[in-house]
Amino acid sequence: MIYINEEKKEFHLQSINMSYIFNVMKNGQLGNLYFGKKIKHRESFSHFFHQPEVGIGIIAHHEDDPGFSLEYYKQEYPSYGTTDFRKPAFQIESGDNSRISDFVYKGYRVYKGKEKLKGLPSTYMENEGEGETLEIELEDNVLNCKLFLTYTVYKDRDVITRNARFENNGKESINIHRAMSFALDLPDYNYEMIHLSGAWARERFIKNRKLEVGCQYIDSTRGASSAHQNPFIILKRPETTENMGESIGFALVYSGNFLAHVEVDHFDATRVTMGINPFDFKWELKSGESFQTPEAIIVYSDKGMNDLSQTFHKLFRERVARGEWRDKERPILVNNWEATYFDFNEEKIVAMARKANELGFELFVLDDGWFGKRNDDKTSLGDWFPNLEKLPNGIKGLGEKVVKEGIKFGLWFEPEMISKNSRLYEEHPDWILGVQNRRLSMGRNQYILDLSKEEVRDYIVNILSERFSEAPISYVKWDMNRNMTEITYQDLPHKYILGLYEILETLTTKFPHILFESCASGGGRFDAGMLHYMPQVWTSDDTDAIVRLNIQHGTSLAYPLISMGAH
Protein backbone atom coordinates (compact mmCIF):
# COMPACT_ATOMS: atom_id res chain seq x y z
CA MET A 1 0.00 0.00 0.00
CA ILE A 2 2.93 2.36 0.66
CA TYR A 3 6.02 2.31 -1.57
CA ILE A 4 9.08 4.48 -0.96
CA ASN A 5 11.82 5.29 -3.46
CA GLU A 6 14.55 6.12 -0.97
CA GLU A 7 17.06 7.62 -3.40
CA LYS A 8 14.52 9.86 -5.13
CA LYS A 9 12.65 10.54 -1.87
CA GLU A 10 9.35 9.63 -3.48
CA PHE A 11 6.32 8.25 -1.65
CA HIS A 12 3.66 6.22 -3.48
CA LEU A 13 0.36 5.51 -1.67
CA GLN A 14 -1.73 2.91 -3.44
CA SER A 15 -5.27 1.65 -2.73
CA ILE A 16 -7.44 -0.64 -4.86
CA ASN A 17 -7.95 1.81 -7.72
CA MET A 18 -6.05 4.95 -6.65
CA SER A 19 -2.45 6.19 -6.58
CA TYR A 20 -1.16 9.21 -4.67
CA ILE A 21 2.48 10.17 -5.25
CA PHE A 22 4.55 12.97 -3.74
CA ASN A 23 8.22 13.72 -3.23
CA VAL A 24 10.73 15.85 -1.39
CA MET A 25 11.60 18.86 -3.56
CA LYS A 26 15.10 20.31 -3.78
CA ASN A 27 14.24 22.95 -1.16
CA GLY A 28 13.35 20.21 1.35
CA GLN A 29 9.60 20.82 1.18
CA LEU A 30 7.05 18.33 -0.16
CA GLY A 31 5.79 18.43 -3.74
CA ASN A 32 2.86 16.59 -5.28
CA LEU A 33 3.56 14.45 -8.36
CA TYR A 34 0.37 12.51 -9.07
CA PHE A 35 -3.14 11.83 -7.80
CA GLY A 36 -5.65 9.69 -9.67
CA LYS A 37 -6.24 6.27 -11.17
CA LYS A 38 -4.00 3.50 -9.85
CA ILE A 39 -0.67 3.09 -11.63
CA LYS A 40 2.12 0.55 -11.21
CA HIS A 41 4.97 1.37 -8.93
CA ARG A 42 8.33 2.14 -10.55
CA GLU A 43 11.79 3.23 -9.44
CA SER A 44 11.21 6.86 -10.36
CA PHE A 45 8.24 9.14 -10.96
CA SER A 46 10.32 12.18 -11.91
CA HIS A 47 8.59 12.24 -15.30
CA PHE A 48 5.48 13.54 -13.49
CA PHE A 49 7.32 16.68 -12.44
CA HIS A 50 6.04 19.61 -14.50
CA GLN A 51 7.87 22.91 -14.88
CA PRO A 52 5.57 25.59 -16.35
CA GLU A 53 7.05 28.28 -18.53
CA VAL A 54 8.32 30.97 -16.22
CA GLY A 55 7.59 34.59 -16.93
CA ILE A 56 9.58 37.72 -16.39
CA GLY A 57 7.82 38.29 -13.07
CA ILE A 58 9.10 35.09 -11.44
CA ILE A 59 10.30 35.42 -7.84
CA ALA A 60 12.89 32.78 -7.08
CA HIS A 61 12.75 30.79 -3.86
CA HIS A 62 16.55 31.01 -3.59
CA GLU A 63 18.78 33.69 -5.06
CA ASP A 64 21.18 31.04 -6.39
CA ASP A 65 18.41 29.22 -8.29
CA PRO A 66 16.49 31.81 -10.36
CA GLY A 67 14.25 29.23 -12.02
CA PHE A 68 12.83 27.68 -8.82
CA SER A 69 9.63 29.29 -7.54
CA LEU A 70 6.95 27.61 -5.44
CA GLU A 71 4.31 29.53 -7.39
CA TYR A 72 4.92 27.11 -10.27
CA TYR A 73 4.76 23.77 -8.44
CA LYS A 74 2.21 21.40 -6.98
CA GLN A 75 2.80 20.98 -3.25
CA GLU A 76 1.64 18.82 -0.36
CA TYR A 77 1.25 21.25 2.54
CA PRO A 78 2.14 24.72 1.26
CA SER A 79 2.87 27.88 3.22
CA TYR A 80 2.50 31.52 2.23
CA GLY A 81 5.07 34.24 1.84
CA THR A 82 8.04 32.52 0.18
CA THR A 83 7.03 32.69 -3.54
CA ASP A 84 3.70 30.81 -3.44
CA PHE A 85 0.86 33.34 -3.64
CA ARG A 86 -2.01 30.87 -3.47
CA LYS A 87 -4.02 30.21 -0.32
CA PRO A 88 -1.76 28.19 2.03
CA ALA A 89 -2.44 25.09 4.08
CA PHE A 90 -1.15 26.74 7.24
CA GLN A 91 0.05 30.02 8.70
CA ILE A 92 2.05 30.44 11.90
CA GLU A 93 2.96 33.66 13.69
CA SER A 94 6.10 33.65 15.84
CA GLY A 95 6.89 35.81 18.85
CA ASP A 96 8.48 38.52 16.70
CA ASN A 97 5.24 38.77 14.66
CA SER A 98 6.82 37.03 11.67
CA ARG A 99 4.51 34.78 9.65
CA ILE A 100 7.25 33.21 7.52
CA SER A 101 8.05 29.52 7.96
CA ASP A 102 10.20 26.88 6.30
CA PHE A 103 9.30 23.32 7.23
CA VAL A 104 11.77 20.94 5.58
CA TYR A 105 11.84 17.18 5.40
CA LYS A 106 13.47 15.27 8.27
CA GLY A 107 12.25 11.72 7.86
CA TYR A 108 9.34 9.32 7.85
CA ARG A 109 7.90 6.26 9.50
CA VAL A 110 5.52 3.61 8.15
CA TYR A 111 3.42 1.40 10.36
CA LYS A 112 0.57 -1.04 10.00
CA GLY A 113 -2.90 0.04 11.05
CA LYS A 114 -3.91 3.47 12.25
CA GLU A 115 -3.44 5.47 15.44
CA LYS A 116 -6.20 7.44 17.19
CA LEU A 117 -6.22 11.21 17.05
CA LYS A 118 -5.94 12.79 20.49
CA GLY A 119 -9.26 14.37 21.50
CA LEU A 120 -10.80 14.12 18.03
CA PRO A 121 -13.03 11.61 16.23
CA SER A 122 -11.56 9.83 13.24
CA THR A 123 -11.82 6.76 11.07
CA TYR A 124 -10.39 3.60 12.60
CA MET A 125 -9.35 0.04 11.83
CA GLU A 126 -10.43 -3.07 13.68
CA ASN A 127 -7.12 -4.78 12.92
CA GLU A 128 -3.80 -3.49 11.64
CA GLY A 129 -4.07 -5.57 8.48
CA GLU A 130 -6.74 -3.22 7.13
CA GLY A 131 -4.22 -0.62 6.07
CA GLU A 132 -0.95 1.22 6.49
CA THR A 133 0.02 4.68 7.70
CA LEU A 134 2.80 6.98 6.56
CA GLU A 135 3.95 9.80 8.82
CA ILE A 136 6.20 12.50 7.36
CA GLU A 137 8.25 14.60 9.77
CA LEU A 138 9.22 18.16 8.83
CA GLU A 139 10.91 20.83 10.93
CA ASP A 140 11.39 24.60 10.99
CA ASN A 141 14.70 25.22 12.76
CA VAL A 142 14.02 28.92 13.30
CA LEU A 143 10.66 28.30 14.98
CA ASN A 144 11.98 25.10 16.58
CA CYS A 145 8.66 23.57 15.58
CA LYS A 146 7.92 20.20 14.03
CA LEU A 147 5.15 19.35 11.59
CA PHE A 148 3.88 15.80 11.15
CA LEU A 149 1.77 14.97 8.08
CA THR A 150 -0.06 11.66 8.41
CA TYR A 151 -1.48 9.62 5.53
CA THR A 152 -3.46 6.41 6.06
CA VAL A 153 -4.30 4.07 3.18
CA TYR A 154 -7.05 1.48 3.47
CA LYS A 155 -6.29 -1.84 1.81
CA ASP A 156 -9.78 -2.67 0.52
CA ARG A 157 -11.23 0.83 0.16
CA ASP A 158 -10.36 3.67 -2.20
CA VAL A 159 -9.80 5.88 0.82
CA ILE A 160 -6.87 7.94 2.02
CA THR A 161 -7.13 9.92 5.25
CA ARG A 162 -4.93 12.88 6.13
CA ASN A 163 -4.19 15.08 9.12
CA ALA A 164 -1.47 17.43 10.37
CA ARG A 165 0.07 17.94 13.79
CA PHE A 166 2.29 20.80 14.98
CA GLU A 167 4.69 20.42 17.92
CA ASN A 168 6.25 23.50 19.51
CA ASN A 169 9.68 22.58 20.85
CA GLY A 170 10.80 26.19 21.25
CA LYS A 171 10.92 28.26 24.40
CA GLU A 172 8.27 30.77 23.29
CA SER A 173 4.64 30.40 22.27
CA ILE A 174 3.63 30.61 18.64
CA ASN A 175 0.20 31.42 17.23
CA ILE A 176 -1.48 29.24 14.62
CA HIS A 177 -3.81 31.27 12.41
CA ARG A 178 -4.49 28.58 9.82
CA ALA A 179 -4.08 24.79 9.95
CA MET A 180 -5.86 22.87 7.22
CA SER A 181 -6.15 19.12 7.49
CA PHE A 182 -4.72 18.66 3.99
CA ALA A 183 -3.92 20.31 0.68
CA LEU A 184 -4.19 18.61 -2.68
CA ASP A 185 -2.85 20.25 -5.85
CA LEU A 186 -4.33 18.96 -9.11
CA PRO A 187 -2.90 19.75 -12.58
CA ASP A 188 -6.08 21.11 -14.23
CA TYR A 189 -9.46 22.62 -13.41
CA ASN A 190 -11.80 20.67 -15.66
CA TYR A 191 -14.08 19.84 -12.75
CA GLU A 192 -17.50 20.60 -11.41
CA MET A 193 -17.76 21.21 -7.68
CA ILE A 194 -20.70 19.62 -5.88
CA HIS A 195 -21.62 20.69 -2.36
CA LEU A 196 -24.59 20.31 -0.02
CA SER A 197 -26.27 23.58 0.94
CA GLY A 198 -29.52 24.72 2.53
CA ALA A 199 -31.00 25.96 5.77
CA TRP A 200 -33.33 24.77 8.51
CA ALA A 201 -35.98 22.44 7.04
CA ARG A 202 -34.21 22.19 3.66
CA GLU A 203 -30.80 20.81 4.59
CA ARG A 204 -28.23 19.44 2.13
CA PHE A 205 -29.76 20.26 -1.24
CA ILE A 206 -27.34 19.42 -4.04
CA LYS A 207 -25.54 22.38 -5.64
CA ASN A 208 -23.29 22.08 -8.68
CA ARG A 209 -20.93 24.66 -10.16
CA LYS A 210 -18.19 24.64 -12.78
CA LEU A 211 -14.74 25.49 -11.43
CA GLU A 212 -13.35 28.76 -12.74
CA VAL A 213 -10.10 30.64 -12.27
CA GLY A 214 -10.17 32.17 -8.80
CA CYS A 215 -11.48 30.93 -5.47
CA GLN A 216 -14.68 29.05 -4.70
CA TYR A 217 -15.45 27.78 -1.23
CA ILE A 218 -18.05 26.77 1.34
CA ASP A 219 -17.70 27.28 5.07
CA SER A 220 -19.37 27.70 8.43
CA THR A 221 -18.72 30.36 11.10
CA ARG A 222 -21.68 29.31 13.29
CA GLY A 223 -19.81 27.14 15.77
CA ALA A 224 -21.33 24.03 14.16
CA SER A 225 -20.91 22.39 10.78
CA SER A 226 -24.42 23.82 10.13
CA ALA A 227 -27.50 23.17 8.01
CA HIS A 228 -26.30 25.84 5.59
CA GLN A 229 -23.15 24.10 4.34
CA ASN A 230 -21.87 20.58 4.97
CA PRO A 231 -18.18 19.67 5.44
CA PHE A 232 -18.22 17.59 2.28
CA ILE A 233 -17.49 18.39 -1.38
CA ILE A 234 -17.00 16.49 -4.62
CA LEU A 235 -14.93 17.41 -7.66
CA LYS A 236 -16.23 15.54 -10.69
CA ARG A 237 -15.40 15.63 -14.36
CA PRO A 238 -18.18 17.26 -16.44
CA GLU A 239 -18.81 14.00 -18.28
CA THR A 240 -19.00 11.89 -15.10
CA THR A 241 -22.35 10.14 -14.56
CA GLU A 242 -23.72 7.88 -11.85
CA ASN A 243 -21.90 4.87 -13.27
CA MET A 244 -18.86 6.12 -15.19
CA GLY A 245 -16.21 8.82 -15.02
CA GLU A 246 -13.84 10.35 -12.47
CA SER A 247 -14.78 12.00 -9.20
CA ILE A 248 -12.95 12.89 -5.99
CA GLY A 249 -14.78 13.27 -2.68
CA PHE A 250 -13.53 15.18 0.38
CA ALA A 251 -15.05 14.97 3.87
CA LEU A 252 -13.96 16.47 7.18
CA VAL A 253 -14.41 14.48 10.39
CA TYR A 254 -15.34 17.59 12.36
CA SER A 255 -18.46 19.27 13.74
CA GLY A 256 -17.44 22.91 14.15
CA ASN A 257 -16.43 25.88 12.00
CA PHE A 258 -14.92 24.57 8.79
CA LEU A 259 -13.64 25.70 5.40
CA ALA A 260 -13.62 23.74 2.14
CA HIS A 261 -11.66 25.87 -0.32
CA VAL A 262 -10.91 25.32 -4.01
CA GLU A 263 -8.57 27.69 -5.84
CA VAL A 264 -7.78 27.67 -9.57
CA ASP A 265 -4.59 29.56 -10.30
CA HIS A 266 -3.30 31.40 -13.38
CA PHE A 267 -1.77 28.15 -14.70
CA ASP A 268 -5.21 26.45 -14.54
CA ALA A 269 -4.06 24.22 -11.66
CA THR A 270 -6.47 23.45 -8.81
CA ARG A 271 -5.70 23.49 -5.09
CA VAL A 272 -8.14 21.91 -2.62
CA THR A 273 -7.83 22.54 1.12
CA MET A 274 -10.18 21.64 3.94
CA GLY A 275 -10.05 22.06 7.68
CA ILE A 276 -10.89 24.26 10.65
CA ASN A 277 -12.14 27.62 9.38
CA PRO A 278 -9.27 30.13 9.70
CA PHE A 279 -11.75 33.01 9.86
CA ASP A 280 -11.44 34.64 13.30
CA PHE A 281 -9.22 31.75 14.46
CA LYS A 282 -6.04 31.92 16.51
CA TRP A 283 -4.55 29.14 18.59
CA GLU A 284 -1.72 29.82 21.02
CA LEU A 285 0.65 26.88 20.90
CA LYS A 286 2.76 27.06 24.04
CA SER A 287 6.19 25.57 24.52
CA GLY A 288 6.00 21.78 24.70
CA GLU A 289 2.43 21.62 23.37
CA SER A 290 1.04 20.17 20.15
CA PHE A 291 -1.92 21.06 17.94
CA GLN A 292 -3.80 18.35 16.07
CA THR A 293 -5.96 19.10 13.04
CA PRO A 294 -9.15 17.11 12.41
CA GLU A 295 -8.96 14.23 9.99
CA ALA A 296 -9.89 14.64 6.34
CA ILE A 297 -11.08 11.80 4.13
CA ILE A 298 -10.22 11.65 0.41
CA VAL A 299 -12.08 9.17 -1.79
CA TYR A 300 -11.39 8.54 -5.48
CA SER A 301 -13.52 6.83 -8.10
CA ASP A 302 -13.26 6.34 -11.85
CA LYS A 303 -16.55 4.44 -11.90
CA GLY A 304 -18.97 7.30 -11.42
CA MET A 305 -20.76 9.08 -8.60
CA ASN A 306 -22.57 5.99 -7.37
CA ASP A 307 -19.31 4.17 -6.68
CA LEU A 308 -17.95 7.24 -4.86
CA SER A 309 -21.05 7.44 -2.64
CA GLN A 310 -20.94 3.75 -1.86
CA THR A 311 -17.32 4.05 -0.73
CA PHE A 312 -18.27 6.88 1.65
CA HIS A 313 -21.34 4.98 2.87
CA LYS A 314 -19.37 1.87 3.70
CA LEU A 315 -16.60 3.83 5.41
CA PHE A 316 -18.96 5.97 7.53
CA ARG A 317 -21.09 2.96 8.44
CA GLU A 318 -18.24 0.57 9.28
CA ARG A 319 -15.20 2.66 10.23
CA VAL A 320 -16.53 5.99 11.55
CA ALA A 321 -19.61 4.96 13.53
CA ARG A 322 -18.82 2.78 16.54
CA GLY A 323 -20.41 0.91 19.41
CA GLU A 324 -23.21 -1.58 20.01
CA TRP A 325 -25.62 0.16 17.65
CA ARG A 326 -23.27 0.49 14.69
CA ASP A 327 -24.57 -2.56 12.84
CA LYS A 328 -27.90 -3.14 14.61
CA GLU A 329 -31.27 -2.70 12.99
CA ARG A 330 -32.67 0.50 14.46
CA PRO A 331 -36.01 0.44 16.36
CA ILE A 332 -39.13 2.00 14.84
CA LEU A 333 -39.87 4.92 17.12
CA VAL A 334 -42.64 7.38 17.83
CA ASN A 335 -42.01 10.77 19.44
CA ASN A 336 -44.67 12.59 21.46
CA TRP A 337 -43.64 16.13 20.46
CA GLU A 338 -46.16 16.98 17.74
CA ALA A 339 -48.91 15.21 19.67
CA THR A 340 -48.50 17.02 23.00
CA TYR A 341 -45.73 19.65 22.84
CA PHE A 342 -45.29 20.69 26.52
CA ASP A 343 -48.80 19.66 27.60
CA PHE A 344 -48.61 16.15 29.04
CA ASN A 345 -48.55 14.17 32.25
CA GLU A 346 -47.56 10.65 33.22
CA GLU A 347 -50.99 9.18 32.48
CA LYS A 348 -51.08 10.65 28.98
CA ILE A 349 -47.54 9.45 28.14
CA VAL A 350 -48.19 5.91 29.37
CA ALA A 351 -51.41 5.77 27.36
CA MET A 352 -49.56 6.89 24.24
CA ALA A 353 -46.84 4.29 24.82
CA ARG A 354 -49.50 1.58 25.21
CA LYS A 355 -51.12 2.57 21.92
CA ALA A 356 -47.75 2.83 20.18
CA ASN A 357 -46.95 -0.73 21.17
CA GLU A 358 -50.31 -1.94 19.83
CA LEU A 359 -49.54 -0.22 16.50
CA GLY A 360 -46.18 -1.96 16.18
CA PHE A 361 -43.77 0.71 17.35
CA GLU A 362 -40.69 -0.51 19.19
CA LEU A 363 -39.54 2.66 20.97
CA PHE A 364 -41.41 5.54 22.60
CA VAL A 365 -39.52 8.82 22.97
CA LEU A 366 -40.49 11.51 25.47
CA ASP A 367 -39.43 14.85 24.02
CA ASP A 368 -39.04 18.36 25.46
CA GLY A 369 -40.83 19.47 28.65
CA TRP A 370 -40.12 16.68 31.16
CA PHE A 371 -37.58 18.58 33.32
CA GLY A 372 -37.27 21.58 35.66
CA LYS A 373 -40.30 23.88 35.31
CA ARG A 374 -40.39 23.49 31.56
CA ASN A 375 -43.89 24.34 30.29
CA ASP A 376 -42.69 26.44 27.35
CA ASP A 377 -39.38 27.11 25.61
CA LYS A 378 -38.39 30.00 27.91
CA THR A 379 -37.22 28.08 30.99
CA SER A 380 -35.25 25.30 32.63
CA LEU A 381 -32.62 24.23 30.06
CA GLY A 382 -29.76 22.95 32.20
CA ASP A 383 -32.05 21.72 35.00
CA TRP A 384 -31.99 18.05 34.01
CA PHE A 385 -34.11 16.76 36.87
CA PRO A 386 -37.74 15.63 36.39
CA ASN A 387 -40.74 17.95 36.67
CA LEU A 388 -42.61 16.16 39.45
CA GLU A 389 -45.82 18.10 38.80
CA LYS A 390 -46.07 16.38 35.41
CA LEU A 391 -44.28 13.18 36.35
CA PRO A 392 -44.83 12.45 40.07
CA ASN A 393 -42.82 9.24 39.85
CA GLY A 394 -39.96 10.92 38.03
CA ILE A 395 -38.23 9.65 34.93
CA LYS A 396 -37.44 6.39 36.70
CA GLY A 397 -41.09 5.66 37.46
CA LEU A 398 -42.32 6.78 34.03
CA GLY A 399 -39.66 4.78 32.22
CA GLU A 400 -40.52 1.65 34.14
CA LYS A 401 -44.23 2.04 33.33
CA VAL A 402 -43.51 2.59 29.62
CA VAL A 403 -41.29 -0.51 29.48
CA LYS A 404 -44.06 -2.55 31.20
CA GLU A 405 -46.25 -1.68 28.22
CA GLY A 406 -43.88 -3.72 26.07
CA ILE A 407 -42.04 -0.86 24.38
CA LYS A 408 -38.59 0.69 24.90
CA PHE A 409 -38.19 4.13 26.43
CA GLY A 410 -36.20 7.09 25.08
CA LEU A 411 -35.65 10.65 26.26
CA TRP A 412 -34.88 14.10 24.78
CA PHE A 413 -32.05 16.31 26.08
CA GLU A 414 -30.43 19.56 24.98
CA PRO A 415 -27.33 19.39 27.20
CA GLU A 416 -25.27 22.14 25.54
CA MET A 417 -27.82 24.88 26.30
CA ILE A 418 -29.03 26.92 29.26
CA SER A 419 -32.07 29.11 30.01
CA LYS A 420 -31.64 32.27 32.06
CA ASN A 421 -34.81 31.25 33.89
CA SER A 422 -33.25 28.16 35.45
CA ARG A 423 -31.68 27.01 38.66
CA LEU A 424 -28.45 26.34 36.83
CA TYR A 425 -28.19 29.97 35.67
CA GLU A 426 -28.92 31.25 39.16
CA GLU A 427 -26.01 29.20 40.48
CA HIS A 428 -23.59 29.66 37.54
CA PRO A 429 -24.33 32.76 35.40
CA ASP A 430 -20.67 32.74 34.32
CA TRP A 431 -21.15 29.45 32.48
CA ILE A 432 -22.89 31.15 29.55
CA LEU A 433 -20.85 31.49 26.38
CA GLY A 434 -20.58 35.20 25.59
CA VAL A 435 -19.03 38.53 26.51
CA GLN A 436 -20.34 39.21 30.00
CA ASN A 437 -20.29 43.04 29.80
CA ARG A 438 -22.07 43.08 26.42
CA ARG A 439 -25.63 42.45 25.36
CA LEU A 440 -26.05 38.79 24.47
CA SER A 441 -27.93 37.63 21.40
CA MET A 442 -30.70 35.18 22.13
CA GLY A 443 -31.93 32.34 19.96
CA ARG A 444 -34.98 30.20 20.77
CA ASN A 445 -35.03 31.81 24.24
CA GLN A 446 -31.78 30.07 25.16
CA TYR A 447 -28.03 30.48 25.48
CA ILE A 448 -25.02 28.22 25.05
CA LEU A 449 -23.00 26.67 27.86
CA ASP A 450 -19.26 27.23 27.51
CA LEU A 451 -17.98 23.68 27.01
CA SER A 452 -14.38 24.91 27.03
CA LYS A 453 -14.73 25.04 30.84
CA GLU A 454 -13.94 21.80 32.65
CA GLU A 455 -16.53 22.43 35.38
CA VAL A 456 -19.27 22.77 32.73
CA ARG A 457 -18.26 19.50 31.08
CA ASP A 458 -18.19 17.74 34.46
CA TYR A 459 -21.68 19.04 35.31
CA ILE A 460 -23.15 17.76 32.04
CA VAL A 461 -21.53 14.35 32.37
CA ASN A 462 -22.59 13.95 36.00
CA ILE A 463 -26.23 15.06 35.73
CA LEU A 464 -26.86 13.10 32.53
CA SER A 465 -25.23 10.04 34.06
CA GLU A 466 -27.70 10.29 36.94
CA ARG A 467 -30.67 10.23 34.54
CA PHE A 468 -29.22 7.48 32.36
CA SER A 469 -28.48 5.30 35.41
CA GLU A 470 -31.79 5.63 37.25
CA ALA A 471 -34.21 4.93 34.39
CA PRO A 472 -34.51 2.22 31.71
CA ILE A 473 -33.40 4.54 28.90
CA SER A 474 -32.62 2.85 25.58
CA TYR A 475 -32.38 5.94 23.37
CA VAL A 476 -31.31 9.59 23.73
CA LYS A 477 -32.14 12.37 21.33
CA TRP A 478 -29.29 14.90 21.77
CA ASP A 479 -30.55 18.26 20.49
CA MET A 480 -28.78 21.57 19.79
CA ASN A 481 -31.02 24.48 18.76
CA ARG A 482 -28.88 27.58 18.39
CA ASN A 483 -25.51 28.67 16.98
CA MET A 484 -22.71 30.69 18.54
CA THR A 485 -22.66 34.47 18.86
CA GLU A 486 -20.58 36.84 21.02
CA ILE A 487 -17.55 34.55 20.80
CA THR A 488 -15.08 35.79 23.39
CA TYR A 489 -11.84 34.24 22.16
CA GLN A 490 -10.66 33.22 18.70
CA ASP A 491 -9.88 29.69 19.88
CA LEU A 492 -13.23 29.22 21.62
CA PRO A 493 -15.22 27.53 18.80
CA HIS A 494 -12.58 24.81 18.48
CA LYS A 495 -12.18 24.40 22.25
CA TYR A 496 -15.96 24.10 22.48
CA ILE A 497 -16.00 21.26 19.94
CA LEU A 498 -13.12 19.52 21.72
CA GLY A 499 -15.14 19.82 24.94
CA LEU A 500 -18.22 18.39 23.26
CA TYR A 501 -16.23 15.44 21.92
CA GLU A 502 -14.83 14.79 25.41
CA ILE A 503 -18.36 14.69 26.85
CA LEU A 504 -19.63 12.40 24.10
CA GLU A 505 -16.66 10.06 24.42
CA THR A 506 -17.27 9.75 28.17
CA LEU A 507 -21.04 9.20 27.98
CA THR A 508 -21.12 6.85 24.99
CA THR A 509 -18.38 4.74 26.59
CA LYS A 510 -20.13 4.70 29.98
CA PHE A 511 -23.56 3.86 28.52
CA PRO A 512 -22.87 1.69 25.45
CA HIS A 513 -26.38 0.21 25.40
CA ILE A 514 -28.01 3.59 24.65
CA LEU A 515 -28.70 4.51 21.03
CA PHE A 516 -27.70 8.18 20.77
CA GLU A 517 -29.21 10.24 17.97
CA SER A 518 -27.71 13.61 17.12
CA CYS A 519 -30.05 16.52 16.38
CA ALA A 520 -29.36 20.21 15.77
CA SER A 521 -32.67 21.88 14.90
CA GLY A 522 -32.92 18.89 12.63
CA GLY A 523 -29.87 18.30 10.45
CA GLY A 524 -27.76 21.29 11.53
CA ARG A 525 -24.82 19.15 12.61
CA PHE A 526 -24.93 16.18 10.26
CA ASP A 527 -21.25 15.33 9.84
CA ALA A 528 -18.74 12.51 10.22
CA GLY A 529 -17.55 13.88 13.57
CA MET A 530 -20.95 13.39 15.21
CA LEU A 531 -21.41 9.99 13.53
CA HIS A 532 -18.33 8.80 15.41
CA TYR A 533 -20.32 9.05 18.67
CA MET A 534 -23.93 8.88 17.48
CA PRO A 535 -24.59 6.46 14.61
CA GLN A 536 -27.66 8.31 13.39
CA VAL A 537 -28.78 11.91 12.97
CA TRP A 538 -32.25 13.47 12.86
CA THR A 539 -32.00 14.39 9.19
CA SER A 540 -34.38 17.36 9.25
CA ASP A 541 -37.29 18.83 11.17
CA ASP A 542 -39.08 18.89 7.81
CA THR A 543 -40.91 15.60 7.38
CA ASP A 544 -42.87 16.69 4.31
CA ALA A 545 -42.48 13.77 1.92
CA ILE A 546 -41.63 15.83 -1.16
CA VAL A 547 -39.03 18.02 0.57
CA ARG A 548 -37.55 14.96 2.24
CA LEU A 549 -36.79 13.52 -1.22
CA ASN A 550 -34.40 16.42 -1.85
CA ILE A 551 -32.98 16.39 1.68
CA GLN A 552 -32.29 12.66 1.75
CA HIS A 553 -31.06 12.56 -1.85
CA GLY A 554 -28.43 15.20 -1.07
CA THR A 555 -27.54 13.61 2.25
CA SER A 556 -27.08 10.24 0.55
CA LEU A 557 -24.26 11.56 -1.64
CA ALA A 558 -22.04 11.14 1.42
CA TYR A 559 -23.92 9.58 4.31
CA PRO A 560 -25.43 6.07 4.52
CA LEU A 561 -29.15 5.44 4.85
CA ILE A 562 -28.74 3.88 8.30
CA SER A 563 -27.44 7.24 9.60
CA MET A 564 -30.58 9.16 8.56
CA GLY A 565 -33.19 9.46 11.27
CA ALA A 566 -36.65 9.56 9.68
CA HIS A 567 -39.30 8.90 12.33
Side-chain angles (χ1 to χ4, degrees), residues 192-209:
E192 294 172 353
M193 173 178 161
I194 295 176
H195 55 101
L196 305 176
S197 299
W200 175 78
R202 52 179 176 86
E203 298 90 338
R204 290 173 301 285
F205 279 36
I206 296 173
K207 304 295 181 182
N208 194 348
R209 67 174 91 167

Side-chain angles (χ1 to χ4, degrees), residues 89-149:
F90 70 99
Q91 189 175 45
I92 294 175
E93 180 184 13
S94 59
D96 60 359
N97 297 321
S98 170
R99 299 188 303 279
I100 302 303
S101 62
D102 185 18
F103 284 89
V104 297
Y105 174 78
K106 290 297 180 183
Y108 73 89
R109 71 179 179 117
V110 175
Y111 56 90
K112 293 184 181 297
K114 188 176 188 295
E115 295 177 351
K116 291 182 178 181
L117 296 190
K118 184 179 179 181
L120 286 163
S122 63
T123 59
Y124 61 91
M125 295 180 184
E126 292 189 335
N127 63 78
E128 64 179 21
E130 289 186 39
E132 294 179 349
T133 297
L134 168 68
E135 183 182 84
I136 302 290
E137 179 184 344
L138 304 105
E139 186 172 18
D140 186 311
N141 290 324
V142 175
L143 290 173
N144 199 6
C145 182
K146 288 189 175 183
L147 168 60
F148 297 90
L149 300 180

Side-chain angles (χ1 to χ4, degrees), residues 44 154 197 229 277 343 380 457 475 499 521:
S44 173
Y154 278 83
S197 299
Q229 302 289 354
N277 199 332
D343 183 19
S380 301
R457 300 195 299 273
Y475 162 99
S521 292

